[in-house]
Amino acid sequence: MSVARVVLLHLFLFVACAQGRKGIGGTEQDWGYITVRPSAHMFWWLYYTTCTDVSNYTDRPLIIWLQGGPGMPSSGYGNFLEIGPHNSSFYKREGSFVDNFNVLFVDNPVGVGYSYVSDSATKLVTNGAEIGEDLYSFFKVFITERHPEFKNVPIYVFGESYGGKMATEFVYALTQKRKSEKVNLCNLKGLALGAAYISPMDYVNHYAPLALNLGLVDKRGFTRIDELTKQIQVLINKKEFEKAHDTQNTITDWLCFETFGIDLYNILAKTNATRIPQVWDYKPLFENIMNNEVRETLNITANVTWKFVGDDVYKSLKPDVIKSITHKVETILNTTDVKIIVYNGILDFLVNTAGTISWLDGLKWQGRERWFNASQSALILDEVTEGYSKRVDNLVFYAVLRAGHSVPIDKLPVVNEILRLELLN
Ligand SMILES: *[C@@H]1O[C@H](CO)[C@@H](O)[C@H](O)[C@H]1NC(C)=O
Ligand SMILES: *[C@@H]1O[C@H](CO)[C@@H](O)[C@H](O)[C@H]1NC(C)=O
Ligand SMILES: *[C@@H]1O[C@H](CO)[C@@H](O)[C@H](O)[C@H]1NC(C)=O
Ligand SMILES: *[C@@H]1O[C@H](CO)[C@@H](O)[C@H](O)[C@H]1NC(C)=O
Ligand SMILES: *[C@@H]1O[C@H](CO)[C@@H](O)[C@H](O)[C@H]1NC(C)=O
Ligand SMILES: *[C@@H]1O[C@H](CO)[C@@H](O)[C@H](O)[C@H]1NC(C)=O
Ligand SMILES: *[C@@H]1O[C@H](CO)[C@@H](O)[C@H](O)[C@H]1NC(C)=O
């Protein structure tokens, strides 16, 4: 059963609330709910590309965007702060992904954003495999019933932060079922991982040396983080994953406190001596617009409160957060033709570039030796060096200069250049 699906397919959103505001209206879109399990309803929001170089939107790829957390909805942060057609005051965003691609935001997993369960006995997901299953169920209905015109359109699944893990689980489920059940739902082309939390320990292992080398802590601070890091590894070895994650939170909380609020998402961001990371500044704003203007415009009648981060989903997934899924990345590389595009802002402390390089180097796949040998090239845009890239077969990695955790927020033109190189060539 599909719940509260909007009947009008091609609406001009925000026309009503656009009055007096420049540059909005005209972005065609569709949205609705798909029930992925009994009483578990997943919200999706599709924007058709506004690209005028093609006669039909199906001539451009479809990007599926998954947010992290776990517990953060794509419909808010990713859409209004990063890549969607409007900013959070509903003005047109220059360089939105929608300029060149169709974009589908999914509030995932169920329990996040506008997605909800209609029966309190319905379980929230507890691990990555369940996330992959629900996303698969969602997408099966989306592409066969809601938007079959995307059946042959190239599809790229993007995930940011913890969303990178979810994107990987989704692609893993899609490719496994393609093989085992011989169903090919779609024309899956790629998986894009931005500051993706694929192998948490690779990130945590760099906290102590990074903090010391950046001058954020002294030797005493280094020792404190280093000891906690060792404890985390011991807890993981004992399979006490939730405690391991708690200890990781102890490190980041302690670091925030000791450094008077260094922004772990972008070490160059202006720090606030209240020691609350900047990202939380958006919470009241987003909870306001998403539960009022946006909700009314979309006519969301479900009994659901949009939250910046879904605590219940976070709690339910907590034991899974610290687990590595590099073996799933390996399987995708080993057994499919899916291109994997990894990118990281070098100013991200939390999901640091050093950690990403570390798990990429550790991958066991047919390109492993060549990966070590491959040299990196510069990513140049308008004569400015914006980053570096390295490529072997279907794996490519970009390190982006002057960017933190959410690379599109800091360097949208550079991300667009990466999209041009990887998705349109
Ligand atoms: C909003 O959705 C409800 C059903 O959920 C429907 O009855 C109503 O007509 C819709 N309103 C508009 C303006 O589309
Ligand atoms: C949205 O864009 C408009 C026009 O560029 C700008 O005036 C406004 O400050 C932006 N809003 C936010 C929240 O960034
Ligand atoms: C766009 O392409 C789709 C899928 O190929 C097709 O069903 C649809 O009719 C096309 N629309 C237009 C306006 O040509
Ligand atoms: C510091 O953070 C607090 C809490 O998020 C906020 O109210 C305040 O405006 C911030 N101050 C500056 C200077 O950014
Ligand atoms: C809406 O949900 C809240 C909390 O989940 C519940 O307490 C309330 O009874 C629900 N309201 C309706 C009209 O179902
Ligand atoms: C992928 O292939 C490599 C050999 O090229 C192998 O060592 C590795 O175990 C494989 N990974 C998985 C998850 O099967
Ligand atoms: C790696 O580079 C070395 C030295 O250039 C070369 O001898 C070797 O064959 C290369 N190995 C692979 C797997 O490309």
Side-chain angles (χ1 to χ4, degrees), residues 3-8 296 298-302:
V3 177
R5 182 153 184 271
V6 177
V7 261
L8 298 166
E296 282 155 22
L298 301 183
N299 188 28
I300 289 177
T301 54

Side-chain angles (χ1 to χ4, degrees), residues 377-388 414 417 420-421:
S377 0
L379 173 67
I380 296 168
L381 189 59
D382 298 330
E383 297 181 16
V384 175
T385 305
E386 297 285 5
Y388 306 96
V414 178
E417 176 66 3
R420 190 184 67 78
L421 293 167

Side-chain angles (χ1 to χ4, degrees), residues 12-26:
F12 289 111
L13 181 68
F14 296 127
V15 171
C17 62
Q19 280 158 12
R21 288 175 174 163
K22 282 167 280 177
I24 41 170

Side-chain angles (χ1 to χ4, degrees), residues 22 80-81 86-94 282 285:
K22 282 167 280 177
F80 288 107
L81 210 58
H86 304 119
N87 71 12
S88 59
S89 34
F90 311 129
Y91 283 87
K92 185 175 163 25
R93 182 193 318 285
E94 291 300 322
Y282 296 113
L285 167 77

Side-chain angles (χ1 to χ4, degrees), residues 111 131 137 272 300 314 333 335 343 346 365 423:
I131 291 174
S137 304
N272 184 326
I300 289 177
Y314 175 69
L333 283 171
T335 63
Y343 60 95
I346 68 159
W365 62 299
L423 274 58

Side-chain angles (χ1 to χ4, degrees), residues 155-192:
I155 288 177
Y156 293 85
V157 184
F158 277 62
E160 182 173 284
S161 195
Y162 197 85
K165 255 181 144 172
M166 306 204 250
T168 303
E169 296 285 359
F170 177 34
V171 164
Y172 184 81
L174 275 170
T175 52
Q176 289 295 303
K177 285 186 203 283
R178 191 164 70 182
K179 218 166 50 186
S180 65
E181 292 170 21
K182 305 225 181 317
V183 277
N184 197 7
L185 281 187
C186 61
N187 181 12
L188 176 66
K189 287 284 191 203
L191 167 64

